[in-house]
Amino acid sequence: MSRTRTASVPCMTTTDSTHSGAHPRFAAALDELGLGELRGRIRRFPDATRTAAEAAAAIGCELSEICKSLIFAADGVPVLVLMDGSSRVDLERVRQELGAAKVTRAKADVVRETTGYAIGGVPPFGHLTKTRVLADRSLLEHDVVWAAAGNPHAVFPMAPEDLVAHAGATLVDVREQTP
């Protein structure tokens, strides 16, 4: 298993101790889940970490150690897929997993209405609405993964098993297979 490197990671800390760089709704969700101590581990960067590649470069970790929170529409119903940063979601596998007729990537307005966050800052939990969550097993290949903390400049580390549990996710195999 790979180890997340956190030494000498350039980050900007905030002076607001109420949420330490996290979106206020996400900070409240951490408290509601009994995870308030995670607020102190949130890293806020001056440059955006909207993409997995940007986040991995800012943190100094492997691309696969990033947890992407992606919203799809399965027969028009939003579903959250948690995927490692180096992989792509196989929509056909998601469709089969959900027993849906059609799965598409959700539009930006649907993502914000469903989660309360903009694309590039969607955390794995703490959303406006209760959504079905699928987590690809590839996340479990690491001791720690990094996920968005509700805005495009902040991320937090968490053991993937804990992240999956707090997100209420079902473990699945939905990443694209490389030939």
Side-chain angles (χ1 to χ4, degrees), residues 15-87:
T15 56
D16 182 353
S17 62
T18 58
H19 55 79
S20 304
H23 186 286
R25 183 179 311 104
F26 183 67
L30 289 176
D31 290 338
E32 289 169 20
L33 291 167
L35 300 170
E37 76 281 354
L38 271 180
R39 287 187 285 151
R41 299 182 65 202
I42 291 170
R43 301 285 184 257
R44 182 171 174 83
F45 297 94
D47 295 323
T49 55
R50 279 185 180 89
T51 68
E54 289 171 344
I59 296 162
C61 69
E62 297 297 322
L63 187 57
S64 62
E65 293 174 289
I66 301 299
C67 175
K68 299 186 289 191
S69 297
L70 306 167
I71 299 290
F72 295 91
D75 295 336
V77 177
V79 61
L80 172 64
V81 176
L82 304 176
M83 177 62 67
D84 78 82
S86 65
S87 298

